[in-house]
Amino acid sequence: MNPDQAFIDLLNKHQRIIHKVCTLYMDNPADREDLFQEITLQAWKAYGSFRGEAQFSTWLYRVALNTAITFFRKDKRKPRMVYDDTTHERAAEADSHIEEQVIAMYKAIGELSKIDKALVMLYLEDYSYQQIGEMMGITANNVAVKMNRIKTKLKENSKKHYQFN
Amino acid sequence: MELDELKASLNKHLEQPAAPLEAWGLERAMQGKTRSVLSKLKRSVWIEIITSILFLALFVYEAFFSEWRVMRIYFGTFSVLFLIFLPILIVLLKRITALQGNSLPVKSSLQKLTAILREYVKRYFQFTMALIPICIVYAGSLSYMDDNSYRNPQMEAMVSNVFTSSTQVLVFLGVYLIVLAAGIYFFTKWYLNRLYGRYINDLEKHIAELESAD
C-alpha cells in the first residue's frame, strides 16, 4: 500500500478526529491503537470515494464512526469507558471543580451505546441536527429527539458520578 | 451539570491523544493489517473462489474423463453445484469491495454490512446443506446404478453377519443418514452463529436504535 501524499497530508491535518473517536470508543490503549490503525486503513480504502463535495473532516467523521461502531474486538475485556488513568492524572493535576465535572461527564458518556456516543461526538463538534442526521442516516427530528434524551441521561448519570467522586 | 456547559472542556480532552498514541504515526498505521469483519470476510470469499475454481477444474475433468459412469455423473453433479455457487461468491465479493470503498451514512453502512453478512451465512448454509444429499444419498444410490465393480465381498460378508434381514440394513441406513444429516445441519448452524451470529445481532441492534424515534 502506497498512500499518496495528498491523503497523508489531509489525514495529518485532521488527525484529531481519529484520536477523538478512538478516545471515545476505546478505554484501553491497545484497543485505541488498533482502532486508530483500522480507521486510518479504512479511510485510505474509501479515499477514492471522497469527491470533495463535503468537507474532508465531515467525510472522515463518517468513515471513523462507521469503523468504530462496527469494530470487532478480539475479546471483551470490560465495558468501554472514555475515562481512564490519563484523564484521572490530568484531573488530579488541575484539581479543579470543572475538571471533576468533566470527568464525571466522561464517565457518563462512556456508559452510552455506540450510536449515542456517535451522536454526542458530532454534537460536541457543533454540527447541526441536519448535518448529524445526514452523517448518521436519520432525520434531523430524530436526532433532536435522541439528543434530548441523551442530554437528560448524561445529566443524571454525570451527577451520580460527580457525587461518587 | 449539562453537556452544553462542558462542551469546550470535553472537546479539549477528547482531542488529546493518549500517551501511547503520541508515538503512533500515520505512516506506521498505514503499514498495518486491517482487522475489520468485512476485510476478513473478503479474504474468506477470495479463498473460497480460488478453491472453487481449482475444484471445479478437477470435477469437470473427472466428469468428462473418468473411467466409471457413476463417477462421471457424481462429479458432473458437483460441477453444476460449484458453477451455481461461484457466481454467487463473485457477486458477494463485488458487494464487499463496493462497501469498503464507500463512506456511506452510518445507518446505510450498517444495513449493507448486515445484508452482506446475512447473505454470506445464508449461502454458506445452503451450500453445506446441498452437499448432504449429494454426498450421502445421491452417491449411495449411484453406486447401485452401475455394474458390480464397486462391490466389496468382505464388507458384504460383514454386513450379513451383523444384520439378519435387508429390512434391518435399510432401517440402520435410514437412521444413520438422518442422524448424520441432522448433525451436519445443527453443527453448521451452530458454527455460523458462532462466527457471525453475535456480530449480526449487534449490528441489528444498532440499526434498530437508529431507526427508533424514541
Side-chain angles (χ1 to χ4, degrees), chain B residues 133-174:
Chain B
I134 294 174
C135 289
I136 305 169
V137 185
Y138 189 52
S141 49
L142 273 178
S143 65
Y144 279 95
M145 279 169 57
D146 220 352
D147 55 25
N148 290 337
S149 56
Y150 287 104
R151 296 190 75 165
N152 184 340
Q154 278 178 318
M155 178 65 83
E156 283 180 2
M158 208 168 78
V159 170
S160 52
N161 280 340
V162 177
F163 301 106
T164 50
S165 70
S166 56
T167 315
Q168 278 185 344
V169 176
L170 285 174
V171 169
F172 170 77
L173 279 175

Side-chain angles (χ1 to χ4, degrees), chain A residues 20 38 70 106 113 123, chain B residues 4 11 13 34-35 199 209:
Chain A
K20 231 172 155 178
E38 196 61 43
T70 57
Y106 259 150
S113 71
Y123 180 79
Chain B
D4 296 278
N11 263 326
H13 278 270
T34 177
R35 243 182 63 188
Y199 189 69
E209 195 183 333

Side-chain angles (χ1 to χ4, degrees), chain A residues 31 34 71-77, chain B residues 35 40 198:
Chain A
D31 287 337
D34 286 346
F71 192 65
F72 182 71
R73 298 198 312 174
K74 280 177 197 159
D75 49 20
K76 293 254 179 190
R77 274 183 277 266
Chain B
R35 243 182 63 188
K40 282 180 187 170
R198 198 181 67 188

Side-chain angles (χ1 to χ4, degrees), chain A residues 1 3 7-8 11-12 15-16 19-20 23-24 29 32-34 36-38 40-42 44-46 49 59 62-63 66 69-74 76 90 98-99 101-102 105-106 113-116 123-124 126 134-138 142 145-146 149 151 154-155 158 162, chain B residues 1-22 24-37 39-40 100-110 113 195 198-199 202-203 205-214:
Chain A
M1 189 179 281
F7 173 72
I8 291 277
L11 216 55
N12 254 323
Q15 217 181 119
R16 62 169 196 92
H19 286 303
K20 231 172 155 178
T23 310
L24 194 68
R32 277 185 203 158
E33 282 189 18
D34 286 346
F36 183 88
Q37 179 168 315
E38 196 61 43
T40 310
L41 285 168
Q42 294 305 328
W44 170 235
K45 277 183 185 172
S49 72
W59 175 86
R62 212 149 57 185
V63 174
N66 270 328
I69 290 169
T70 57
F71 192 65
F72 182 71
R73 298 198 312 174
K74 280 177 197 159
K76 293 254 179 190
R90 284 185 208 136
I98 291 288
E99 283 295 328
Q101 284 189 332
V102 169
M105 187 58 83
Y106 259 150
S113 71
K114 283 183 169 185
I115 299 295
D116 286 352
Y123 180 79
L124 289 175
D126 279 330
E134 281 164 15
M135 280 192 249
M136 299 298 288
I138 55 178
N142 198 352
V145 173
K146 284 185 196 303
R149 180 190 43 84
K151 280 183 191 176
L154 285 177
K155 192 177 173 181
S158 62
Y162 186 63
Chain B
M1 68 206 81
E2 300 276 356
L3 180 67
D4 296 278
E5 290 168 19
L6 302 170
K7 222 172 182 176
S9 307
L10 279 168
N11 263 326
K12 204 178 87 186
H13 278 270
L14 280 168
E15 280 172 19
Q16 286 173 356
L21 277 175
E22 282 167 12
W24 250 73
L26 280 173
E27 287 75 14
R28 202 185 129 192
M30 299 298 295
Q31 287 160 10
K33 203 175 167 188
T34 177
R35 243 182 63 188
S36 75
V37 169
S39 301
K40 282 180 187 170
Q100 272 186 326
N102 252 311
S103 55
L104 296 165
V106 172
K107 191 176 140 190
S108 309
S109 178
L110 289 173
L113 178 58
L195 270 185
R198 198 181 67 188
Y199 189 69
D202 283 350
L203 293 178
K205 271 183 208 160
H206 295 325
I207 296 168
E209 195 183 333
L210 274 168
E211 282 172 346
S212 75
D214 291 309

Side-chain angles (χ1 to χ4, degrees), chain B:
Chain B
M1 68 206 81
E2 300 276 356
L3 180 67
D4 296 278
E5 290 168 19
L6 302 170
K7 222 172 182 176
S9 307
L10 279 168
N11 263 326
K12 204 178 87 186
H13 278 270
L14 280 168
E15 280 172 19
Q16 286 173 356
L21 277 175
E22 282 167 12
W24 250 73
L26 280 173
E27 287 75 14
R28 202 185 129 192
M30 299 298 295
Q31 287 160 10
K33 203 175 167 188
T34 177
R35 243 182 63 188
S36 75
V37 169
L38 210 56
S39 301
K40 282 180 187 170
L41 193 69
K42 193 178 175 179
R43 275 196 291 273
S44 300
V45 174
W46 259 120
I47 291 168
E48 280 153 24
I49 287 174
I50 293 166
T51 316
S52 296
I53 291 170
L54 292 174
F55 273 97
L56 183 64
L58 188 74
F59 293 159
V60 168
Y61 177 83
E62 284 294 323
F64 281 103
F65 303 109
S66 179
E67 196 181 329
W68 298 287
R69 190 173 68 99
V70 285
M71 285 298 184
R72 288 198 295 274
I73 298 172
Y74 185 69
F75 285 112
T77 311
F78 261 107
S79 302
V80 171
L81 185 72
F82 274 67
L83 275 172
I84 293 169
F85 273 91
L86 200 54
I88 293 170
L89 287 174
I90 292 168
V91 169
L92 200 59
L93 184 70
K94 279 189 175 178
R95 283 175 64 188
I96 294 169
T97 311
L99 184 58
Q100 272 186 326
N102 252 311
S103 55
L104 296 165
V106 172
K107 191 176 140 190
S108 309
S109 178
L110 289 173
Q111 283 171 329
K112 280 187 187 285
L113 178 58
T114 312
I116 286 173
L117 287 171
R118 284 219 166 277
E119 176 81 6
Y120 180 78
V121 167
K122 187 176 139 191
R123 299 301 180 191
Y124 190 101
F125 187 74
Q126 282 176 343
F127 184 76
T128 313
M129 290 305 107
L131 290 179
I132 297 174
I134 294 174
C135 289
I136 305 169
V137 185
Y138 189 52
S141 49
L142 273 178
S143 65
Y144 279 95
M145 279 169 57
D146 220 352
D147 55 25
N148 290 337
S149 56
Y150 287 104
R151 296 190 75 165
N152 184 340
Q154 278 178 318
M155 178 65 83
E156 283 180 2
M158 208 168 78
V159 170
S160 52
N161 280 340
V162 177
F163 301 106
T164 50
S165 70
S166 56
T167 315
Q168 278 185 344
V169 176
L170 285 174
V171 169
F172 170 77
L173 279 175
V175 172
Y176 172 76
L177 289 177
I178 288 166
V179 170
L180 191 68
I184 294 170
Y185 175 86
F186 287 112
F187 176 77
T188 311
K189 277 217 150 182
W190 170 83
Y191 177 70
L192 287 171
N193 191 49
R194 194 177 153 76
L195 270 185
Y196 297 109
R198 198 181 67 188
Y199 189 69
I200 292 173
N201 285 344
D202 283 350
L203 293 178
E204 282 176 343
K205 271 183 208 160
H206 295 325
I207 296 168
E209 195 183 333
L210 274 168
E211 282 172 346
S212 75
D214 291 309

